[in-house]
């Protein structure tokens, strides 16, 4: 596609120098990376870079982070997290050599990740909600377990049975992405569990770890419990190697590399889907809004965004209707409150994804209906960034490669597949919204071990219940239940 003019944009608020954080103390490095505005090239911040040896040395003192948090009751830490929620959302907080208002935070995050500003605000609201409701979130994740039992390591259940839970790490390492700030809700319960935080921020999204750290500190959480190590991929590798428990966010190759490592919880593509049962598929038009929202919300950048709609019939009609809704969606300025699409700020990434899709479309049984409606392709190249326009493919068979792929923009394959074959064909699925009243098939869906989150009925894949685990329960990941008995010692 031909390049379009870049809209005029106001400058952000000036250059900020941001040090690394080593157990609460700022660390200045000779090596620094400059973060720039994805549209204007304006220099926004310098971020001090760390090295693997520094991370490895610091992790020898990781136990201190847990020790200092265990001096504070979990109930008080929950209160601190709730106070931090308001600071994160509303306060002017220090950041390196300057400070950052909530609006500054939104501008900077949008300017470096490519997300429209209203999506950044929505992610702030989501983070604020989880922090504010941390007591209820933890009660749900622990299934009502008294947090003092986790703090002591042992205790007595209400039914009079002794229990013991052993923390598997003093801190959790977090190798974070740049493309979506929504993932931060996954680690937020950690501080009230009296476990420290070790951040390796995404190169384009250091803003949330720094702002959250400062909000925690001003709410009373000991600074010594948190470290932030900016850098390249070798820093992420050092965090994973040095921490007994870590989360990492990446692509399918990242998940494959770490899925059998008990020390690492990998988060990658969700391959989330909507399945239409044979009993409802003739009325598919009733569920079109659910499908559109599931594909388009957050610019398709979430692992819970829908990348596949599966049905046994009417698939060409469904694909055509989705394409007619999504093909007119075009980029708007990042500060437009209705801006629907996020920019690709890493050079060459959008073009590479476009090439992969073109190879998948160029096979029998696949049609790109959105390109047919627009009369051109999906790649919108600009001077300093690129966009990928919403794409709807129709796949005549579930065995076609394009039937089960995912990309970080509004992309969906509408797949024709008999209902009796669907569960074997969909593969690993983070969120499955199965629209059916067929009780036999509902039972099969409930029993499907390759479906992580199951919605029965017309529930958008992007609709979450924060009182349920998102992808793996962080309590089960950080604590091990073990047998425990205690008898009185006589002398």
């Amino acid at each position: 596609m031909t390049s379009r003019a870049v809209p005029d944009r106001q400058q952000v608020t000036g250059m900020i120098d941001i040090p690394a954080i080593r157990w609460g103390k700022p660390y200045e490095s000779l090596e620094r990376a400059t973060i720039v505005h994805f549209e204007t090239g304006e220099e926004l911040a310098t971020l001090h870079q760390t090295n693997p040896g520094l991370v490895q040395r610091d992790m020898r003192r990781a136990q201190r982070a847990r020790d200092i948090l265990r001096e504070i009751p979990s109930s008080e830490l929950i209160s601190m997290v709730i106070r931090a929620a308001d600071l994160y959302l509303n306060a002017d907080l220090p950041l390196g050599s300057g400070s950052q208002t909530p609006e500054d935070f939104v501008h900077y995050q949008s300017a470096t990740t490519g997300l429209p500003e209203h999506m950044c605000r929505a992610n702030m609201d989501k983070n604020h909600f989880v922090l504010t409701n941390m007591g209820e979130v933890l009660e749900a994740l622990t299934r009502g377990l008294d947090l003092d039992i986790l703090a002591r390591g042992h205790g007595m259940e209400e039914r009079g049975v002794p229990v013991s839970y052993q923390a598997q790490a003093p801190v959790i390492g977090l190798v974070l992405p740049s493309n979506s700030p929504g993932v931060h809700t996954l680690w937020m319960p950690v501080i009230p569990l009296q476990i420290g935080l070790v951040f390796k921020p995404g190169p384009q999204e250091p803003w949330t770890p720094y702002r959250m750290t400062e909000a925690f500190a001003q709410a009373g959480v000991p600074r010594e419990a948190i470290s932030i190590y900016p850098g390249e991929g070798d820093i992420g590798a050092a965090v994973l190697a040095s921490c007994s428990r870590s989360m990492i966010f990446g692509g399918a190759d990242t998940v494959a590399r770490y899925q059998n490592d008990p020390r690492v919880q990998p988060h990658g593509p969700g391959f989330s889907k909507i399945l239409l049962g044979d009993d409802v598929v003739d009325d598919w038009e009733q569920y079109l809004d659910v499908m559109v929202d599931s594909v388009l919300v957050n610019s398709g950048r979430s692992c819970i965004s829908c990348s596949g709609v599966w049905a046994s019939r009417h698939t060409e009609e469904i694909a055509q209707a989705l394409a007619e809704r999504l093909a007119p969606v075009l980029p708007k300025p990042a500060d437009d409150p209705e801006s629907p699409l996020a920019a690709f700020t890493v050079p060459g990434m959008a073009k590479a994804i476009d090439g992969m899709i073109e190879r998948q479309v160029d096979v029998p049984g696949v049609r790109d209906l959105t390109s047919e409606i627009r009369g051109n392709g999906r790649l919108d190249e600009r001077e300093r960034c690129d966009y990928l326009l919403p794409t709807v493919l129709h796949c005549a068979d579930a065995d076609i490669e394009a039937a089960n792929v995912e990309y970080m923009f509004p992309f969906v394959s509408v797949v024709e597949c008999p209902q009796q074959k669907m569960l074997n064909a969909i593969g690993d699925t983070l969120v499955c919204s199965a629209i059916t009243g067929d009780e036999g098939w509902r039972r099969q869906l409930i029993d499907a071990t390759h479906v992580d989150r199951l919605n029965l009925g017309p529930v958008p894949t992007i609709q979450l219940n924060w009182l349920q685990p998102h992808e793996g329960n962080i309590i089960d990941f950080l604590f091990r239940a073990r047998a425990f008995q205690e008898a009185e010692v006589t002398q």
Side-chain angles (χ1 to χ4, degrees):
M1 299 181 67
T2 56
S3 176
R4 301 186 177 124
V6 175
D8 292 335
R9 290 184 54 83
Q10 295 181 343
Q11 286 201 337
V12 187
T13 55
M15 193 79 156
I16 297 177
D17 189 58
I18 306 174
I21 304 294
R22 302 174 65 189
W23 302 130
K25 295 181 179 180
Y27 171 78
E28 296 187 356
S29 170
L30 293 177
E31 185 177 351
R32 306 178 186 188
T34 301
I35 306 174
V36 302
H37 195 297
F38 79 90
E39 282 184 322
T40 66
E42 175 193 354
E43 294 185 350
L44 303 177
T46 54
L47 192 59
H48 291 245
Q49 303 293 283
T50 54
N51 62 71
L54 186 75
V55 175
Q56 292 163 1
R57 287 195 300 274
D58 284 0
M59 290 309 104
R60 296 171 190 163
R61 295 184 285 129
Q63 185 61 44
R64 174 60 180 156
R66 176 152 169 78
D67 291 344
I68 198 168
L69 287 171
R70 291 178 86 179
E71 295 174 4
I72 306 171
S74 292
S75 58
E76 290 186 26
L77 289 171
I78 291 173
S79 297
M80 292 175 186
V81 164
I82 293 172
R83 289 199 296 273
D86 184 64
L87 292 166
Y88 163 77
L89 188 67
N90 299 309
D92 185 346
L93 296 175
L95 175 65
S97 62
S99 64
Q100 197 176 62
T101 67
E103 278 305 300
D104 291 338
F105 173 79
V106 167
H107 294 328
Y108 274 93
Q109 190 178 73
S110 173
T112 58
T113 64
L115 273 179
E117 291 184 1
H118 73 90
M119 294 185 191
C120 296
R121 290 189 187 93
N123 280 306
M124 282 190 83
D125 289 338
K126 180 169 64 175
N127 292 341
H128 176 265
F129 177 86
V130 172
L131 290 168
T132 301
N133 293 278
M134 186 54 64
E136 293 87 344
V137 169
L138 282 168
E139 183 177 9
L141 292 178
T142 61
R143 305 170 186 90
L145 183 71
D146 184 350
L147 292 182
D148 288 340
I149 293 177
L150 294 181
R152 292 192 304 270
H154 67 91
M156 196 73 68
E157 286 186 335
E158 289 184 1
R159 57 196 176 105
V161 177
V163 293
S164 177
Y165 290 86
Q166 182 183 53
Q168 299 300 286
V171 299
I172 184 170
L174 300 162
V175 182
L176 297 168
S178 289
N179 59 299
S180 178
V183 302
H184 297 291
T185 55
L186 292 178
W187 58 259
M188 287 179 180
V190 169
I191 288 293
L193 297 175
Q194 300 172 316
I195 288 175
L197 295 167
V198 175
F199 294 108
K200 190 280 175 187
Q204 282 83 47
E205 213 287 278
W207 316 110
T208 302
Y210 276 95
R211 185 170 182 82
M212 199 68 73
T213 295
E214 186 61 36
F216 282 155
Q218 293 203 14
V221 175
R223 291 184 183 272
E224 299 92 324
I226 303 176
S227 287
I228 306 178
Y229 299 103
E232 300 300 326
D234 58 344
I235 303 304
V239 168
L240 294 175
S242 303
C243 296
S244 300
R245 287 292 184 270
S246 298
M247 288 184 184
I248 185 171
F249 299 82
D253 56 338
T254 300
V255 174
R257 188 179 311 128
Y258 293 106
Q259 64 181 354
N260 295 319
D261 188 339
R263 302 167 69 252
V264 180
Q265 189 181 83
H267 297 267
F271 302 106
S272 297
K273 301 174 181 72
I274 294 174
L275 310 185
L276 294 169
D278 286 349
D279 58 322
V280 302
V281 69
D282 293 337
D283 299 318
W284 62 267
E285 291 168 297
Q286 295 183 26
Y287 312 112
L288 186 59
D289 287 344
V290 172
M291 298 183 220
V292 171
D293 287 347
S294 296
V295 174
L296 188 58
V297 167
N298 203 44
S299 191
R301 279 204 176 180
S302 302
C303 55
I304 56 176
S305 299
C306 179
S307 59
V309 174
W310 291 55
S312 62
R313 56 186 183 271
H314 301 301
T315 53
E316 289 188 277
E317 299 165 69
I318 294 168
Q320 184 68 33
L322 278 170
E324 288 172 358
R325 292 278 295 271
L326 294 173
V329 175
L330 297 173
K332 294 182 179 181
D335 56 359
D336 188 316
E338 296 183 356
S339 181
L341 300 178
F344 284 80
T345 62
V346 177
M349 180 180 289
K351 189 171 184 177
I353 293 173
D354 181 61
M356 286 189 284
I357 297 172
E358 283 302 305
R359 289 190 291 274
Q360 291 163 349
V361 169
D362 193 25
V363 299
V366 181
R367 283 179 61 198
D368 180 351
L369 286 89
T370 34
S371 290
E372 291 176 11
I373 291 171
R374 285 191 297 259
N376 54 35
R378 70 191 63 80
L379 179 61
D380 181 354
E381 295 180 286
R382 304 194 177 189
E383 182 179 356
R384 300 191 62 88
C385 67
D386 302 314
Y387 288 88
L388 287 171
L389 305 183
T391 297
V392 178
L393 305 185
H394 178 261
C395 296
D397 191 280
D399 292 330
I400 296 171
E401 180 185 1
N404 212 343
V405 294
E406 176 176 310
Y407 300 104
M408 49 184 284
F409 75 106
F411 171 95
V412 63
S413 298
V414 181
V415 183
E416 186 163 318
C417 180
Q419 177 179 298
Q420 64 268 27
K421 295 184 178 180
M422 274 188 203
L423 284 178
N424 289 330
I426 61 173
D428 289 340
T429 300
L430 176 59
V431 183
C432 174
S433 288
I435 305 175
T436 180
D438 181 335
E439 287 301 326
W441 200 38
R442 281 179 167 231
R443 172 49 57 189
Q444 294 177 42
L445 287 156
I446 291 170
D447 291 343
T449 57
H450 56 297
V451 172
D452 197 86
R453 301 179 65 98
L454 177 62
N455 300 322
L456 291 176
V459 180
T461 62
I462 45 83
Q463 180 176 310
L464 295 179
N465 179 346
W466 293 110
L467 299 184
Q468 296 182 347
H470 171 63
E471 185 181 1
N473 190 325
I474 195 169
I475 306 297
D476 298 337
F477 181 55
L478 293 177
F479 291 87
R480 179 173 71 95
R482 61 177 179 177
F484 178 83
Q485 297 182 79
E486 187 175 25
E488 184 177 347
V489 176
T490 59
Q491 295 185 3

